[in-house]
Amino acid sequence: MKKWIIPVVVIVIIALWAISSYNGLVSVRAEARTAWSNVESSYQRRNDLIGNLVKTVQGAADFEKSTLTDVIEARSKATSVTVDPSNITPDQLAQFQQAQAGVSGALSRLLVNVERYPDLKANSNFLALQSQIEGTENRINVARDRYNEAVNTYEVKTERFPGSIFASLFGFEKMARFKSEAGAEKAPDVQFDFK
């Protein structure tokens, strides 16, 4: 009877250790997925605000239609790109980021064109929306940073021993990090034409 106690205790300890390791991996993966959902939520907030901004700008009688069309099309394209949070790949992130860069570019052109419309610049609805979009851009940056931190925690847990054993046994895939687009490290060249 006593000779069975030690092997049973060892098996129970190994089982508890395996359960704890697996549950830890599940937790960090869920946190990384939640962090990605927060990134998407921030981008969705920006897209919602852009819709309101476009409606406000359309109220300006002779505002350039092509600029508004570019913003609307970029927003539509960005909302059509989805990323599966259970299997985030670098390709999915690159597509997502490319679509969001299109929105950022179109939005920047819109805001630059607004400078020529003093009535629109003084519109309180426009000013409030512009301020909310600026705040949302900051939220997006924070959400992306938090996502990368969550992916880092996930990677550490899945790549360290013994987590690496359980990660490979149970199919825990590597998660992609959010990266800035090519050329983002260079400061933009800002020029003003005062003619």
Side-chain angles (χ1 to χ4, degrees), residues 5 7 19-20 46 51-52 76 126 143 145 181 188:
I5 292 177
I19 291 168
S20 175
R46 177 175 73 171
N52 292 333
S76 175
F126 177 80
D145 288 347
E181 58 184 296

Side-chain angles (χ1 to χ4, degrees), residues 60 62-63 113-124 126-127:
D62 59 348
F63 197 84
N113 283 331
V114 163
E115 293 298 319
R116 294 184 284 176
Y117 295 85
D119 292 342
L120 183 58
K121 282 177 28 180
N123 181 310
S124 61
F126 177 80
L127 292 173

Side-chain angles (χ1 to χ4, degrees), residues 20-37:
S20 175
S21 292
Y22 178 79
N23 288 341
L25 290 171
V26 169
S27 294
V28 294
R29 181 177 61 188
E31 288 171 13
R33 288 177 179 169
T34 299
W36 177 252
S37 295

Side-chain angles (χ1 to χ4, degrees), residues 24-33 86 148-160 167 171-177:
L25 290 171
V26 169
S27 294
V28 294
R29 181 177 61 188
E31 288 171 13
R33 288 177 179 169
S86 64
N148 281 341
E149 289 169 7
V151 169
N152 185 61
T153 301
Y154 173 79
E155 282 184 358
V156 167
K157 191 101 171 166
T158 58
E159 292 177 8
R160 277 189 183 164
F172 283 82
E173 299 289 327
K174 192 170 181 85
M175 294 183 91
R177 291 177 186 263

Side-chain angles (χ1 to χ4, degrees), residues 47-109:
N47 287 334
D48 294 344
L49 289 171
I50 288 172
N52 292 333
L53 185 70
V54 166
K55 287 176 188 170
T56 302
V57 171
Q58 282 175 330
D62 59 348
F63 197 84
E64 297 170 17
K65 300 287 185 225
S66 64
T67 304
L68 288 175
T69 302
D70 289 347
V71 172
I72 292 167
E73 287 174 1
R75 178 179 173 248
S76 175
K77 186 176 181 181
T79 56
S80 70
V81 176
T82 57
V83 175
D84 178 10
S86 64
N87 185 25
I88 297 175
T89 65
D91 289 340
Q92 287 176 330
L93 272 181
Q95 277 185 320
F96 182 83
Q97 190 167 354
Q98 185 178 17
Q100 295 302 330
V103 173
S104 295
L107 186 59
S108 294
R109 287 190 302 280

